[in-house]
Each structure stands twice: as C-alpha cells, then as structure tokens.
Amino acid sequence: MTCNKQPNELIHEQSPYLRQHAWNPVLWLPWGEKAIEKANREQKPIFLSSGYSTCHWCHVMEKECFENPSVAEILNSCFVPVKVDREERPDIDRLYMTYVQATTGSGGWPMSVWLTPDLKPFYGGGYFPPEDRYGRPGFVSLLHALCRAWKEDRKQLIYVADSMMDQLAGFSTPAPGKGKPDTTALDRAASLLTGQFDPVYGGFGPAPKFPRPSVLSFLFRYGYYTGKDEIASLGLFTLRKMAEGGIHDHLGAEGTGGGGFCRYSTDARWHIPHFEKMLYDNAQLAIAYLEAYQLTSDRLFAETAQDIFNYLLCDMLSPGGGFFSAEDADSAPERATDEKKEGAFYTWTSDEIDNILDPDEQRVFRFHYHIETNGNVIEDPHGEFGGKNILFARETITETAHHAFVSEQQCRTLLESSKQKLLAQRLKRPRPARDEKIITGWNGLVLSALARGSRVLEDHRLLEHAETTAAFMLEHLVTPEGELYRRHCNGQSAIPGKADDYAFMIRGLLDLYEASLERDYLAEAIRLQESMDRLFLDMEHGGYYNAPSTDASLPVRMKDDFDGAEPSANSVAVENLARLWTITEDEQWHQKAEHTLACFSSVLDEDSSRLPHMLNGLFLLRFPAYRLQLRGNRNDDRFGQLKRVVDRRLLADVSLDYDEKTGTASGPAEAILCGNGLCHPPATGPDELENLLSATLKAYSC
C-alpha cells in the first residue's frame, strides 16, 4: 500500500521484503554503513526490524504501525529505523534473535530490536500491536518510553547493552566439551525424541508443529544403523500424518502446479497451517519422503515426493533454472478487493465446492476431505477461517469408497477429477505474492532433492533439472574470485555468501555427483569446501562461523548450533566432510569433521536432539563408512542395472564414486565396495551386488 508520496531508501534495494516497505512513511534505511554512521552522528538509537516478505505477522505490523504517519513520526524523530530481510542477512538476524530469545524467552518474526549506535541491543521483542493487545505492550507507548529512556537514562541503557553484548560474544561459540562425541549422543537423541513424539498425530511436541526434516532424517538413520525399526517408524508415521493434513496442499496436478507443503501447522493434527510455502521446507521434505519410500516401498511416500517436485518445478522455478524463495500466506479473496487474508487462496466454503463438483464427486470428495457445511476449522483464535474448509484427508481411500458405495478405483478417479476442477477454479483467484529472490543455500537444498529424486524415482527429468540448477548457480551465484553470493534477484547477484550457502551447495553438488557420476561436480564441491574452510572455519577451536570475518557491520559472528527449519551449516559441514573423506580418502577432511564435532561436544552432551543432522555425520565417523565405486561404460545397460540396485535403497553408510578412466572400457560393468579396512571382490551383476550389500551393510526395512 502506498502511504508516502516519496519512497524511502529501500526503493533502491532488490529484496522484495525491503521494497514492500519502500513507500512507508517510516524513513527506513537498509543495514549498512550509512545507517550506522547516521546513528553515530545524530546519537540516536537504531530501531532494527527484521522479517521476510511472506511473513504474515510482518504484514500485520506494517499495516498497523509502519503505514501509520503518527507512528512513523515518532520512529523518524527518535530513532534511526533500519530494515533487514532475514533471508538475505541470516547472520544479523541470528545475532539479535539470540538476544531476543535470551531476554524474552521466545522469538519470531517480525523481530524488533533497539540498538545503541555501536550496534549493542538494549531492548527487543517480536510483533507489537499499535496499542496494548494480546498481552503485549503497544508499539506507540513503547516507542515513547524508549525515546524518553534514551534521553534521560542513556548511561543505564548503554550499561545494559554492553553487558548483553558481552553475553552474546560468549554465545558466539559453544563452551568446550569433555572430548570427542561418541555414540551415546545418538542414543540420547533417540530417547529424547521418542519422549516428545505424538503417538496420535505424529510430530514432536505440542502445537504449533513444524516439520523439522533433520529429525526425520536422523530417525531413519538411527533405525538403519541399530535395526530399531520402531524408532524410524516415528518418522514414517509423522510423514503419513503430514501428507494427510491441511499443511499439505492437496490440489496438485502434474504439469500445472499446486501441491507441496506449507510452513507449519498451528494445531496438533497438522490440519490448520500457516499458509506460506517456503522453498527450504519443500526441498527437505522431498528428501524425507524419498527416504521413507526407500525404506518402505510404500507408494504414498513416492507420490508425495513427486507432488513436491511438481510444485517446485511448476510454481517456484525461475526461467533461468534457479528456484524462488517463498509464496505468501496472504492473498486477496477475490480480484475486486486489495484486502488480503490468510489462506484465502487455499480455503473453500461448502457452497463453492458443491457449485464446482457434480453429485458423485461431491459425495466422495466431501467425505474424504472432511468438508463441513459451516466449515471444518475448529481452532481459529483470530477468527480468520469462519465458514471455510481446509482440505484434510481424514479418511482412507478404502473408507471413502465404502462410504460412497464405489470401488476403490472409482473413488480415486472421482477424487482426481474433483481436484482437477477445484485447482482450475483456484487458479482464477488472485495468487499469493511470490518472493523471487534466489537464495544460494536454499537452491543447494533443492539441488540435493532433485538429484536424489532422479535416483530414487528413476526420473531422468529430475536429473536434467538438477544439472540446469547447478549450471545456474555456478554461473550466477559464484563471484569472479570463486566465492559465493548469498542471493540473485532481478538479474543482480549480491551479498557475500554465508556458511550455510556453502554447506548446502556443497551437499547439493555431492548429491548431484552421485546421481550423474560427472566428476566435475565432485571437483567443484571440493573447491567450495576449501573456500568455506578459508572463510568460516575456526582453526583453533573448530566449527564454522556463520559469516566471514570481513563484514565490519556485524559486531559478533556466531557458530550455529541448532538444526531447526534448516539444518545448521556446521551440521551439514560435518556430513559433507565425512563424505569427502570416504570418497577421496584424503585425511584432511576427516580431521576437520572431527574438529567440528569436538567444537559442539558440549551441546551434544547437554541435548543431542538439538543437532540431529550433525548426528548423521557422527554415524559416518563412528561406524564403518563405505565407498562403492562403479566402473565401466555408463551407457551400458549392465552399468545401469548396477546403479539402480544402489539408487533404490537407503544406504546411509555408502558414498557412491565413479572411476571415469573406465568410461570407455569394453569389459563388463562392475561395482567395488570398500570400507572397514577391506575391498570386496567386484560385483558384476545386479543380484550379486544386491547380495553383497545385504551381507555387508546394515540391513534395514520397515
């Protein structure tokens, strides 16, 4: 909404989130030297507001506060207002979010923090309503109080800020541990997660429920290595419940779009989502569903992974081959209004469904997806979904067919035709806004998903898309000096890459190497790992800082020590280093992996479930890890048969390698398995390789 006749300086930014605020009457500045210099020159505190373009409560606070001229007047006169896109600058966001969480006990976006001119925080929180509401102080009264305190009690605020910055510096790296983490960390994490598991609806802990794919990946590997299928089954049950729930967009059609998963569920049943769709969630969930399919051969998991890929390729793919960041939760219910509402694109009234579907389709669809005349949303604290239905696959195909007196095949046909009709109607609605930043790290996650999907689903098109994405990243997201940019937007690449950009892209290139067996991808992964070590590695204490040391505007660099919506750079780095060691047998990668693990030993001792993805790397370092080298002509059918044996199984302790010197050999294709101190005789046929893997590796299935 245009609230100011002249734009502020955010109009010059590329970030969609920052540009959303360019016409606010608040005189926003982007984070950087100009804002810091202004704060020091005028001796005003900085008001730092961090969020992202698809954040629902960020939109609410903008409408209530930042578009209000009287609020803007206070901000402009008493503070230096600074906007940060947390997706562009996760390092800044992480630093001050640590402060907010430490002082308030919670965190979220928008994040609101007040800083001294030398960037030390003295007050913070999240969303603030304009007046006292929801048990939160009103933003206007808070601004007046902080403005008055800065004028009348500045020394005390500076003292508090100095003290907090000292604490943040202490938080920047984990406390030293007692030694190298051992396998007891794996057992403790499995026990903690089992205790948090919801046996009725799946997931871990109470609502709101977040997918957290790193947990699912760890549970699958714990089952693989220990044979305790009851632990892996926690992840499988969770994925089934998520696929049934409203967090899953059930209206996906191949080649058309839709489908995929929303950010999180506000209720315990996965029924009522927060409707934004994030690239990083869907990339990681695609991998989780692929691994579940490898473990079980249950087509539900394969079909859900295919649904996610369809969403990514239809709705999130840029013309050049990179993937956009996110889709908004809010949109206009109809084209005649600009007023946006949460979930308007995805929800349905009972009458809308009846007007679109024929009677046979209604009978099946309404029962299967729990459609109620007055709406099916029970928990609606903000009154956003009155009379609306959120699709929720409450019943099985068998139960629905029995209810409708049709065969299961007829039931599937009627459900599919219903979804096609509803999707066609939905596409006539105003779409949610899409954030068209291309984030390096998140594209690395998609690269991993596409590469793995091409193997598990035997879909060469996914491999082609993975190679196109890799080519885009190597062309547009690598600097002339060979380092990474953080993002590409509107044809411009900018912002030095963060540690997670390197870790996720390296992982994607390793996965693409195993899918394509093109050795250039392995070489590029090694080159980027060397750059990551140079820019981020703490050579003395181990572990990777989240930002390079060259950024003077960042007062403290942090070492991320939590695998949340995204795995931490350190966790992925441990796994990457272990894989590089297995493939290349270069001891430097082993040493760096162990050094990084040791840096986080105190965290793993205290609560190893904080770092489930790091535990995946711990498996590779504490149990035998194997290299399976394929030899022969890749165009030979026998070569393809050997590779398919490997691709269809979850082999958590195997890294795939290819001897390119044998690419033109006329002899039989063969696979050589090496690990645990020996190399086995070559396997030349699929049955022989299957038997070798079953006899040698940890055999696991659910």
Side-chain angles (χ1 to χ4, degrees):
M1 179 178 178
T2 300
C3 296
N4 194 20
K5 293 182 180 180
Q6 294 294 325
N8 56 50
E9 295 206 18
L10 298 186
I11 197 68
H12 304 297
E13 297 298 306
Q14 297 302 317
S15 158
Y17 175 65
L18 298 185
R19 291 178 69 89
Q20 284 173 5
H21 292 267
W23 293 92
N24 294 166
V26 178
L27 298 179
W28 295 111
L29 291 171
W31 181 274
E33 291 183 9
K34 185 172 184 178
I36 297 169
E37 187 277 330
K38 177 179 171 66
N40 278 283
R41 174 167 38 85
E42 299 181 4
Q43 280 301 292
K44 290 180 180 178
I46 291 171
F47 168 63
L48 173 64
S49 176
S50 176
Y52 54 104
S53 70
T54 60
C55 165
H56 172 71
W57 287 102
C58 298
H59 299 328
V60 173
M61 192 165 177
E62 179 188 19
K63 181 178 179 180
E64 293 179 339
C65 298
F66 304 143
E67 292 180 355
N68 186 321
S70 60
V71 175
E73 184 178 359
I74 305 170
L75 276 172
N76 295 337
S77 62
C78 293
F79 306 95
V80 176
V82 173
K83 262 288 174 191
V84 164
D85 182 338
R86 68 170 297 266
E87 296 171 350
E88 286 192 336
R89 294 302 306 265
D91 47 351
I92 296 169
D93 184 83
R94 167 68 200 286
L95 173 63
Y96 294 113
M97 183 60 75
T98 300
Y99 163 75
V100 170
Q101 290 172 329
T103 54
T104 70
S106 63
W109 295 275
M111 178 180 71
S112 306
V113 185
W114 285 262
L115 315 174
T116 63
D118 55 354
L119 308 180
K120 298 175 181 178
F122 60 86
Y123 193 85
Y127 161 79
F128 292 101
E131 310 297 338
D132 294 355
R133 193 195 309 161
Y134 307 140
R136 301 172 187 267
F139 191 59
V140 173
S141 59
L142 182 60
L143 289 177
H144 282 301
L146 291 173
C147 183
R148 185 167 56 251
W150 183 255
K151 292 177 180 178
E152 299 175 0
D153 203 8
R154 185 177 306 185
K155 287 185 178 180
Q156 178 61 26
L157 291 183
I158 291 174
Y159 173 80
V160 170
D162 287 342
S163 174
M164 284 308 309
M165 187 54 75
D166 289 341
Q167 292 185 49
L168 287 174
F171 293 154
S172 67
T173 190
K178 298 177 181 178
K180 288 185 178 181
D182 58 26
T183 57
T184 60
L186 306 170
D187 298 327
R188 288 196 303 273
S191 177
L192 284 166
L193 292 168
T194 300
Q196 297 167 4
F197 179 68
D198 180 345
V200 178
Y201 301 116
F204 302 86
K209 284 185 175 175
F210 293 80
R212 207 177 167 203
S214 292
V215 166
L216 307 176
S217 174
F218 163 72
L219 294 172
F220 295 156
R221 279 153 183 77
Y222 189 85
Y224 178 91
Y225 280 95
T226 66
K228 295 181 179 179
D229 57 353
E230 69 274 12
I231 300 297
S233 294
L234 306 182
L236 298 173
F237 183 78
T238 295
L239 287 174
R240 286 192 176 96
K241 289 299 182 182
M242 286 176 56
E244 295 169 1
I247 192 175
H248 181 201
D249 178 3
H250 292 275
L251 297 186
E254 184 176 359
T256 302
F261 283 80
C262 300
R263 175 75 275 268
Y264 64 89
S265 174
T266 63
D267 70 324
R269 299 188 301 158
W270 305 102
H271 179 199
I272 307 165
H274 184 41
F275 281 94
E276 63 189 336
K277 290 181 178 178
M278 310 302 295
L279 184 66
Y280 57 78
D281 283 322
N282 283 282
Q284 293 177 91
L285 284 171
I287 293 173
Y289 279 99
L290 289 170
E291 292 185 345
Y293 177 57
Q294 287 179 302
L295 292 175
T296 65
S297 299
D298 186 334
R299 288 297 305 172
L300 166 71
F301 297 126
E303 290 165 2
T304 308
Q306 289 167 330
D307 170 80
I308 296 172
F309 287 127
N310 181 69
Y311 165 68
L312 293 175
L313 294 170
C314 290
D315 293 350
M316 299 298 282
L317 181 62
S318 76
F323 287 83
F324 299 131
S325 295
E327 288 191 299
D328 208 332
D330 302 352
S331 60
E334 54 191 35
R335 297 194 181 277
T337 179
D338 291 330
E339 185 73 19
K340 295 183 178 182
K341 293 186 177 180
E342 165 96 14
F345 188 67
Y346 300 99
T347 56
W348 302 87
T349 66
S350 176
D351 287 345
E352 284 175 326
I353 289 172
D354 287 349
N355 290 336
I356 295 168
L357 305 184
D358 66 37
D360 288 339
E361 291 169 332
Q362 290 174 32
R363 188 167 62 253
V364 169
F365 191 88
R366 291 180 67 94
F367 182 79
H368 189 73
Y369 286 108
H370 186 34
I371 305 302
E372 299 286 352
T373 302
N374 296 320
N376 66 5
V377 178
I378 299 173
E379 301 175 37
D380 186 15
H382 300 294
E384 296 174 296
F385 305 116
K388 298 289 188 176
N389 289 277
I390 298 172
L391 302 188
F392 176 64
R394 184 180 62 176
E395 312 296 343
T396 66
I397 292 291
T398 300
E399 290 165 338
T400 303
H402 179 76
H403 169 82
F405 301 103
V406 297
S407 69
E408 291 189 15
Q409 183 55 50
Q410 288 174 310
C411 180
R412 289 190 179 90
T413 300
L414 288 168
L415 286 174
E416 186 59 33
S417 64
S418 300
K419 289 194 284 186
Q420 293 278 359
K421 289 180 180 180
L422 290 169
L423 178 61
Q425 182 63 32
R426 190 174 82 176
L427 291 175
K428 297 177 183 178
R429 296 173 172 176
R431 285 196 69 105
R434 183 172 63 188
D435 187 324
E436 297 193 350
K437 293 193 309 292
I438 296 173
I439 299 290
T440 301
W442 299 356
N443 274 257
L445 295 174
V446 177
L447 184 58
S448 284
L450 291 169
R452 295 190 189 193
S454 73
R455 298 176 63 191
V456 177
L457 302 175
E458 298 183 38
D459 188 341
H460 191 72
R461 294 172 302 169
L462 295 180
L463 178 58
E464 291 174 348
H465 281 296
E467 291 183 316
T468 300
T469 298
F472 175 90
M473 296 177 75
L474 293 170
E475 179 180 356
H476 295 288
L477 292 166
V478 178
T479 72
E481 296 75 30
E483 298 174 1
L484 292 180
Y485 290 112
R486 171 67 179 173
R487 67 105 172 107
H488 181 85
C489 190
N490 297 324
Q492 297 183 22
S493 300
I495 305 173
K498 311 307 174 188
D500 60 334
D501 294 310
Y502 284 81
F504 296 174
M505 186 168 175
I506 292 164
R507 182 190 183 206
L509 289 167
L510 289 175
D511 287 328
L512 184 53
Y513 170 58
E514 294 193 354
S516 67
L517 302 179
E518 292 288 349
R519 209 158 183 87
D520 285 349
Y521 296 126
L522 175 62
E524 190 62 32
I526 291 172
R527 190 191 67 76
L528 284 176
Q529 185 63 60
E530 291 169 346
S531 295
M532 183 178 180
D533 294 346
R534 174 171 49 82
L535 292 167
F536 304 96
L537 182 61
D538 182 344
M539 296 298 293
E540 181 179 357
H541 301 106
Y544 293 85
Y545 290 107
N546 60 356
S549 60
T550 52
D551 187 353
S553 71
L554 186 67
V556 176
R557 296 191 296 165
M558 310 288 283
K559 291 180 184 176
D560 292 338
D561 60 357
F562 181 71
D563 297 333
E566 305 167 55
S568 71
N570 282 288
S571 291
V572 177
V574 170
E575 185 185 47
N576 289 344
L577 291 164
R579 291 173 70 183
L580 285 171
W581 173 48
T582 302
I583 294 171
T584 67
E585 299 181 321
D586 188 334
E587 183 60 23
Q588 69 161 318
W589 307 127
H590 179 211
Q591 292 174 359
K592 288 174 180 175
E594 291 286 6
H595 200 195
T596 302
L597 264 180
C599 175
F600 295 93
S601 60
S602 62
V603 179
L604 294 173
D605 286 342
E606 181 179 338
D607 180 2
S608 53
S609 68
R610 287 178 55 85
L611 290 166
H613 199 100
M614 187 173 288
L615 298 179
N616 293 346
L618 183 62
F619 278 120
L620 293 172
L621 296 168
R622 296 293 177 267
F623 291 85
Y626 295 85
R627 180 183 66 170
L628 182 66
Q629 187 176 79
L630 296 177
R631 297 179 176 180
N633 189 328
R634 286 179 292 174
N635 297 319
D636 189 322
D637 287 344
R638 292 168 296 180
F639 187 97
Q641 291 171 2
L642 291 176
K643 190 168 187 298
R644 281 193 291 276
V645 169
V646 182
D647 289 348
R648 66 170 174 255
R649 297 176 57 162
L650 178 61
L651 301 174
D653 46 358
V654 174
S655 291
L656 195 58
D657 191 22
Y658 177 59
D659 185 351
E660 61 182 354
K661 296 190 294 293
T662 66
T664 58
S666 58
E670 59 184 24
I672 300 176
L673 183 68
C674 296
N676 205 19
L678 62 90
C679 287
H680 295 268
T684 57
D687 291 341
E688 186 180 0
L689 179 57
E690 192 82 60
N691 292 334
L692 173 63
L693 295 174
S694 297
T696 308
L697 306 180
K698 298 284 185 181
Y700 172 71
S701 63
C702 285

